[in-house]
């Protein structure tokens, strides 16, 4: 659907929206779902296994969760997210999931169209975001049920598509298809624009005279965006969003639009983590699992005597080890931590549910290199080692915790040490809105600082963030961000209408 229309819209040369959502992955999709008027209520027959929470829910059974006090409901709850609303929404959708139970949600959903808040969701590709570009040969870390969005279970979708899901864990490509279908079946397409690239998001401090100007010629299509004339007068132009949409012929069509609120839902897959060492830019040093998988598929390692060097101790690095191991490619595995480090992700995964990852962890522990030993034929780990440099002759200099250096020969190096969001379109790349000012935003070490119940940035009014940007890397928990934002915006919209209705009827609305 085109973002730009060739004709200027009558009476509105520039579109101003209540909400612009940047990112069309599961975070952006879920927020669009709630802003479209879908409301969760306690199901009539539902009994939550947490008796204290259930009592609270019963107190306001007639109200949707969006209309209730989220701080009150989430008080005392514990879970695998540091954001209380994320824990609350997760336990309503997946009660006691972390204890191994498969209880049904205690919520049912109603579409209440009078709660619709006009918005637009901007994404680089089809709805689903980075899930469309993930390596397709590996199973997801989460169960399919935990990847689903409100109102449509993953199993229902799989059955409707006659897909035989053999495992509780599924392929990323299946998840990507589910998200794309979700947007269609829930009637959200009118809010989504694909092939859109954001170049700047800047705060405006405009007076009325500035708003009346039309010096910018680009116009944005309001097709399918339901907005009453009275509602337009309530919107403040707090943000200017610029970018371009890639047309079918490959050309770039620029646009500019205004928003009262901007929600950042860009995820964390924009920029792969780098070691920042000498030689890391050599073409034989890769930073993408998909690039490695493509090279394996093309048979580029057949007949290679030297092993693949894999750097990192997370799940993506483990996926690369499995990919190489299953294709008879020898592996050198270098990582900084001890194998007994309790923060290793493998320590958090049950063996019965994740046998392939525990196979990698077993090799990391039992097939490690020692000072006097040679490399193992299929796999050798180098715990507590840092990479110092990559050399042109396909050699890597590593250093142990004791300071001993070693040179390793390899056929290709794969650096998989996580990824970081790229917020280049914000002032100072968004460095000012993290928990640690003037440092890059990272999902673990420096997420965006938000109000825990509204998800509004504490350092930038009318700017919201959810998902990995605020530390919620699992789909299970990012849905709480959508709930918090939807409640915040619903309250503000209600207050605006009350101000208008309580006035003398002759004003121009909220300035």
């Amino acid at each position: 659907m085109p973002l730009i229309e060739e004709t200027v819209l009558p009476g509105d040369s520039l579109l101003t929206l209540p909400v612009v959502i940047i990112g069309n992955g599961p975070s952006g999709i879920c927020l669009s779902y709630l802003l479209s008027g879908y409301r969760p209520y306690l199901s009539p027959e539902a009994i939550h296994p947490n008796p204290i929470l259930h009592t609270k829910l019963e107190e306001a059974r007639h109200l949707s969760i969006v209309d209730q006090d989220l701080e009150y409901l989430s008080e005392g709850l514990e879970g695998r997210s540091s954001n209380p609303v994320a824990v609350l929404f997760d336990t309503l959708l997946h009660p006691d999931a972390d204890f191994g139970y498969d209880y049904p949600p205690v919520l049912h959903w109603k579409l209440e169209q009078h709660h619709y808040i006009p918005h637009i969701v901007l994404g680089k590709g089809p709805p689903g975001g980075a899930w469309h570009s993930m390596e397709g040969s590996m199973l997801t870390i989460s169960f399919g049920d935990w990847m689903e969005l409100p109102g449509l279970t993953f199993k229902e979708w799989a059955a409707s598509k006659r897909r035989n899901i053999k495992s509780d864990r599924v392929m990323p490509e299946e998840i990507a298809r589910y998200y794309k279908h979700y947007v269609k079946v829930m009637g959200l397409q009118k809010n989504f624009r694909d092939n859109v690239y954001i170049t700047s998001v800047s705060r405006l401090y405009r007076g009325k005279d500035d708003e009346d100007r039309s010096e910018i010629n680009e116009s944005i299509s309001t097709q399918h965006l339901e907005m009453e004339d009275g509602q337009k007068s309530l919107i403040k132009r707090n943000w200017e969003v610029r970018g371009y949409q890639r047309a079918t012929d490959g050309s770039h069509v620029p646009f500019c639009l205004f928003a009262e609120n901007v929600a950042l839902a860009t995820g964390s897959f924009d920029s792969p983590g780098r070691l920042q060492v000498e030689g890391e830019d050599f073409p034989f040093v890769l930073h993408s699992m998909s690039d490695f998988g493509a090279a394996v598929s093309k048979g580029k390692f057949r007949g290679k005597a030297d092993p693949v060097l894999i750097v990192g101790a997370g799940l993506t690095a483990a996926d690369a080890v499995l990919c190489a191991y299953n294709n008879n490619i020898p592996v050198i595995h270098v990582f900084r931590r001890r194998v007994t480090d309790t923060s290793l992700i493998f320590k958090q995964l049950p063996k019965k549910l994740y046998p392939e990852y525990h196979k990698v962890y077993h090799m990391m522990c039992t097939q490690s290199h020692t000072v006097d030993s040679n490399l193992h034929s299929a796999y050798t780990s180098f715990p507590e080692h840092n990479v110092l440099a990559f050399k042109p002759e396909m050699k890597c200099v590593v250093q142990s915790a004791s300071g001993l250096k070693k040179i390793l020969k390899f056929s290709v190096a794969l650096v998989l040490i996580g990824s970081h969001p790229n917020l280049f379109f914000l002032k100072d790349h968004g460095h000012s809105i993290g928990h640690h000012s003037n440092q890059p935003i990272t999902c673990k070490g420096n997420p965006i600082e938000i109000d825990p119940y509204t998800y509004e940035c504490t350092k930038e009014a009318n700017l919201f963030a959810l998902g990995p940007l605020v530390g919620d890397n699992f789909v299970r928990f990012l849905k709480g961000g959508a709930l918090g934002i939807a409640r915040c915006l619903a309250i503000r919209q209600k207050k605006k209408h009350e101000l208008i209705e309580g006035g003398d009827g002759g004003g121009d609305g909220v300035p």
Side-chain angles (χ1 to χ4, degrees), residues 17 65 83 97 170 213 217 224 258 282 314 335 353 366 407 434 503:
L17 283 167
I65 303 300
N83 295 313
V170 294
R213 296 175 187 169
N217 294 324
H224 303 306
F258 298 104
F282 285 132
F335 47 95
L353 298 178
T366 62
I407 296 177

Side-chain angles (χ1 to χ4, degrees), residues 96-258:
D96 283 355
D98 286 331
F99 296 105
Y101 295 105
D102 190 21
Y103 293 136
V106 298
L107 303 177
H108 71 283
W109 293 84
K110 296 180 182 179
L111 176 57
E112 300 175 349
Q113 294 183 339
H114 61 283
H115 287 308
Y116 175 81
I117 297 178
H119 62 281
I120 193 169
V121 185
L122 307 177
K124 297 176 183 178
W131 286 93
H132 289 280
S133 59
M134 290 185 189
E135 177 64 28
S137 63
M138 302 297 173
L139 295 172
T140 59
I141 185 64
S142 297
F143 300 128
D145 291 353
W146 291 358
M147 312 297 290
E148 65 194 22
L149 298 178
L152 177 67
T153 69
F154 185 78
K155 290 177 181 176
E156 287 174 344
W157 170 80
S160 71
K161 296 298 179 181
R162 297 181 180 178
R163 298 187 182 278
N164 183 20
I165 304 299
K166 298 179 181 180
S167 170
D168 286 333
R169 294 166 60 209
V170 294
M171 299 289 186
E173 61 190 35
E174 294 288 333
I175 298 296
R177 292 193 188 103
Y178 163 78
Y179 290 146
K180 189 174 181 180
H181 177 79
Y182 182 93
V183 169
K184 181 178 180 182
V185 76
M186 293 300 176
L188 308 179
Q189 310 103 303
K190 64 188 177 186
N191 305 311
F192 280 71
R193 302 295 186 271
D194 305 343
N195 300 314
V196 174
Y197 296 79
I198 305 300
T199 55
S200 73
V201 175
S202 54
R203 178 169 286 284
L204 298 177
Y205 298 95
R206 289 173 173 261
K208 190 176 185 304
D209 292 340
D210 295 320
E211 292 184 0
D212 291 338
R213 296 175 187 169
S214 57
E215 68 274 9
I216 304 173
N217 294 324
E218 298 93 345
S219 62
I220 310 302
S221 170
T222 54
Q223 184 182 9
H224 303 306
L225 289 171
E226 303 154 17
M227 199 182 324
E228 300 173 359
D229 289 339
Q231 196 171 30
K232 291 180 184 178
S233 65
L234 301 177
I235 305 170
K236 296 171 66 177
R237 287 182 172 175
N238 291 325
W239 297 97
E240 178 188 80
V241 181
R242 287 180 174 269
Y244 63 88
Q245 185 174 36
R246 193 179 65 237
T248 53
D249 63 0
S251 61
H252 293 176
V253 184
F255 70 86
C256 173
L257 55 82
F258 298 104

Side-chain angles (χ1 to χ4, degrees), residues 151-437:
L152 177 67
T153 69
F154 185 78
K155 290 177 181 176
E156 287 174 344
W157 170 80
S160 71
K161 296 298 179 181
R162 297 181 180 178
R163 298 187 182 278
N164 183 20
I165 304 299
K166 298 179 181 180
S167 170
D168 286 333
R169 294 166 60 209
V170 294
M171 299 289 186
E173 61 190 35
E174 294 288 333
I175 298 296
R177 292 193 188 103
Y178 163 78
Y179 290 146
K180 189 174 181 180
H181 177 79
Y182 182 93
V183 169
K184 181 178 180 182
V185 76
M186 293 300 176
L188 308 179
Q189 310 103 303
K190 64 188 177 186
N191 305 311
F192 280 71
R193 302 295 186 271
D194 305 343
N195 300 314
V196 174
Y197 296 79
I198 305 300
T199 55
S200 73
V201 175
S202 54
R203 178 169 286 284
L204 298 177
Y205 298 95
R206 289 173 173 261
K208 190 176 185 304
D209 292 340
D210 295 320
E211 292 184 0
D212 291 338
R213 296 175 187 169
S214 57
E215 68 274 9
I216 304 173
N217 294 324
E218 298 93 345
S219 62
I220 310 302
S221 170
T222 54
Q223 184 182 9
H224 303 306
L225 289 171
E226 303 154 17
M227 199 182 324
E228 300 173 359
D229 289 339
Q231 196 171 30
K232 291 180 184 178
S233 65
L234 301 177
I235 305 170
K236 296 171 66 177
R237 287 182 172 175
N238 291 325
W239 297 97
E240 178 188 80
V241 181
R242 287 180 174 269
Y244 63 88
Q245 185 174 36
R246 193 179 65 237
T248 53
D249 63 0
S251 61
H252 293 176
V253 184
F255 70 86
C256 173
L257 55 82
F258 298 104
E260 181 166 4
N261 303 284
V262 169
L264 301 175
T266 56
S268 62
F269 286 91
D270 290 323
S271 302
R274 295 179 65 86
L275 297 168
Q276 305 294 342
V277 298
E278 174 191 341
E280 193 171 4
D281 291 325
F282 285 132
F284 49 78
V285 180
L286 308 179
H287 294 81
S288 164
M289 178 62 195
S290 57
D291 289 345
F292 178 63
V296 172
S297 299
K298 293 175 182 177
K300 291 189 175 182
F301 298 101
R302 290 187 193 132
K304 297 275 188 181
D306 294 319
V308 169
L309 173 68
I310 297 173
V311 182
L315 294 179
T316 308
D319 284 341
V321 170
L322 288 168
C323 180
Y325 189 86
N326 294 335
N327 285 276
N328 298 314
I329 302 170
V331 173
I332 294 175
H333 190 188
V334 177
F335 47 95
R336 292 183 295 113
R337 297 181 184 178
R338 296 180 179 181
V339 293
T340 56
D341 191 326
T342 56
S343 63
L344 284 174
I345 185 64
F346 309 100
K347 297 280 191 178
Q348 305 170 36
L349 303 178
K351 289 183 179 180
K352 289 184 178 180
L353 298 178
Y354 304 94
E356 75 279 30
Y357 288 130
H358 279 276
K359 176 182 179 180
V360 173
Y361 180 58
H362 180 73
M363 292 193 298
M364 289 166 64
C365 296
T366 62
Q367 295 180 219
S368 62
H369 172 268
T370 60
V371 177
D372 299 325
S373 68
N374 296 318
L375 297 180
H376 297 275
S377 59
Y379 172 95
T380 306
S381 68
F382 283 79
E384 297 183 81
H385 278 70
N386 287 306
V387 174
L388 298 183
F390 295 101
K391 298 299 183 181
E393 59 274 17
M394 290 186 170
K395 291 181 180 179
C396 178
V397 182
V398 298
Q399 185 176 37
S400 69
S402 64
L404 185 65
K405 295 181 181 179
K406 189 173 183 64
I407 296 177
L408 304 173
K409 187 82 168 67
F410 60 88
S411 58
V412 69
L414 190 56
V415 178
L416 298 171
I417 55 172
S419 57
H420 306 300
N422 188 351
L423 301 177
F424 69 93
F425 49 81
L426 293 177
K427 181 182 178 181
D428 298 326
H429 292 234
H431 291 187
S432 62
I433 58 177
H435 281 266
H436 306 292
S437 296

Side-chain angles (χ1 to χ4, degrees), residues 85-105:
V85 178
V87 175
L88 167 66
F89 209 22
D90 178 65
T91 194
L92 296 176
L93 295 170
H94 306 286
D96 283 355
D98 286 331
F99 296 105
Y101 295 105
D102 190 21
Y103 293 136

